[in-house]
Structures are given as C-alpha cells and as structure tokens.
Amino acid sequence: MINYDFIGKQISMLRKRAGMTQEVLAEKINMSIPHISRIETGTTKPSLQTLVDICNALDTTIDHLMQDSVPAVKQSIEGRMGELLADCSVGELEMLADVTEVILKKTREP
C-alpha cells in the first residue's frame, strides 16, 4: 500500500530543506498552493506526473519519496545500517545513538 502521509512529509521536509515555500514549489510545477498543501498533509493522492514534477523541482527521486511504501527499500537500508554498525565500539555506538536521536527529533518535528 502506498503511504501518502509519508510521501507528503518527505515532500514538505525536502521543500523546507531547499528553502522553498509551498508557493514557490506550486509555481515551479504549475499547481495551486492548496493542492501542494493537501499533498504534503497526505489528504490528496498525487498523480505519477505530479510526483515526477515535484521530484524534479526538489532534485530528488520517486524512490526516495516512496521508500516507506516499498518494504525492500527499508530492508536494504536496515541491512546497510547493520553493516556499518557491526564493527563499532560501544563508545561509537553511544555517540551514533545520540546523534541519531537528535536528527530524528529534528526531522519529525512539525
């Protein structure tokens, strides 16, 4: 199942990271601001063409936006994380856990 809430959150995060307002994104892809807002909140299901346009405007990929909807992507990332952490010392793991916690809090705040 496609997770439109996650897609919307990713779009919002990437847009903000790029220093772009909803208005600027809407202009770039020839769409209304309310439509962008509904996509970002997950209340509207964007068409494939709209997703492609958004990806081009935000310099990202569709698989990045949809990574939560494709279990194999998450499994691949989890495997990669496991490989990276396998040879870490306890001190390194503690530091990485602290940094990860800060990053997650920052990316998950509204």
Side-chain angles (χ1 to χ4, degrees):
M1 176 165 288
I2 296 175
N3 187 341
Y4 290 101
D5 288 332
F6 180 83
I7 291 170
K9 287 176 185 171
Q10 288 293 98
I11 291 168
S12 176
M13 180 196 62
L14 291 167
R15 175 183 58 75
K16 290 173 185 173
R17 190 177 292 163
M20 196 180 299
T21 63
Q22 286 182 342
E23 180 179 10
V24 170
L25 178 58
E27 287 175 9
K28 282 183 172 250
I29 64 171
N30 197 29
M31 199 151 287
S32 72
I33 298 167
H35 192 66
I36 295 295
S37 178
R38 288 189 300 272
I39 290 170
E40 288 187 358
T41 59
T43 56
T44 292
K45 298 176 181 179
S47 69
L48 181 57
Q49 184 60 57
T50 297
L51 286 176
V52 169
D53 293 343
I54 289 171
C55 286
N56 287 331
L58 297 176
D59 194 29
T60 193
T61 61
I62 287 184
D63 63 318
H64 182 80
L65 293 182
M66 298 188 71
Q67 61 187 313
D68 202 51
S69 299
V70 183
V73 173
K74 186 174 182 183
Q75 291 168 353
S76 173
I77 294 168
E78 288 172 345
R80 182 173 165 223
M81 291 295 295
E83 291 170 8
L84 290 169
L85 299 175
D87 67 342
C88 289
S89 69
V90 172
E92 289 171 326
L93 288 171
E94 286 177 358
M95 181 182 64
L96 289 169
D98 291 343
V99 169
T100 302
E101 186 176 20
V102 170
I103 292 169
L104 288 174
K105 282 180 183 176
K106 184 69 176 168
T107 59
R108 292 177 176 172
E109 66 186 27

